[in-house]
Amino acid sequence: MNNPFGNITQPPATRNFGTDPGTAFGNILQLIFNVLIMAGGIWALLNFILAGYAFLSAGDNPKGVEAAWAKIYQTIIGLVFLVGAFLIAGVIGLLIYGKPDALLHPVLTF
């Protein structure tokens, strides 16, 4: 096939993702999703630790205890949204594409 742009070589740093453009893009997206999940989990853990510290240091202050519980509830809600997004993506991928990981590990066809 004649390429109008000349000979294009793949950059060395992207060779770990594969040589097929469709699967390589999917691998990059999967890496981004994994990093976002890990960041969300680390952020939730940090929020739990800070809320626990706020709860322990509140003492007899009811507003401090209430703020700590609010932070704990908000962190739990955030984790539910994080897990729920992947559950919904799995269900949609299963219904539309027949594979639960179709949206989480996309493969483009050219």
Side-chain angles (χ1 to χ4, degrees):
M1 178 169 126
N2 241 348
N3 189 347
F5 300 109
N7 190 10
I8 300 172
T9 59
Q10 184 176 8
T14 61
R15 289 195 181 122
N16 294 336
F17 297 109
T19 56
D20 180 34
T23 57
F25 184 71
N27 290 339
I28 291 172
L29 281 179
Q30 184 180 18
L31 176 68
I32 291 170
F33 291 153
N34 289 342
V35 167
L36 288 175
I37 290 211
M38 287 189 307
I42 291 170
W43 182 255
L45 179 65
L46 180 67
N47 272 338
F48 276 131
I49 291 171
L50 292 175
Y53 179 74
F55 187 77
L56 290 175
S57 64
D60 290 334
N61 182 6
K63 290 193 184 227
V65 172
E66 185 178 329
W69 275 115
K71 192 169 202 168
I72 290 171
Y73 291 143
Q74 290 168 0
T75 303
I76 291 172
I77 290 170
L79 283 174
V80 167
F81 274 105
L82 183 70
V83 171
F86 280 91
L87 182 65
I88 290 171
V91 169
I92 290 173
L94 185 64
L95 291 175
I96 294 175
Y97 300 106
K99 290 180 8 184
D101 66 339
L103 295 177
L104 301 175
H105 191 272
V107 175
L108 302 176
T109 56
F110 296 102

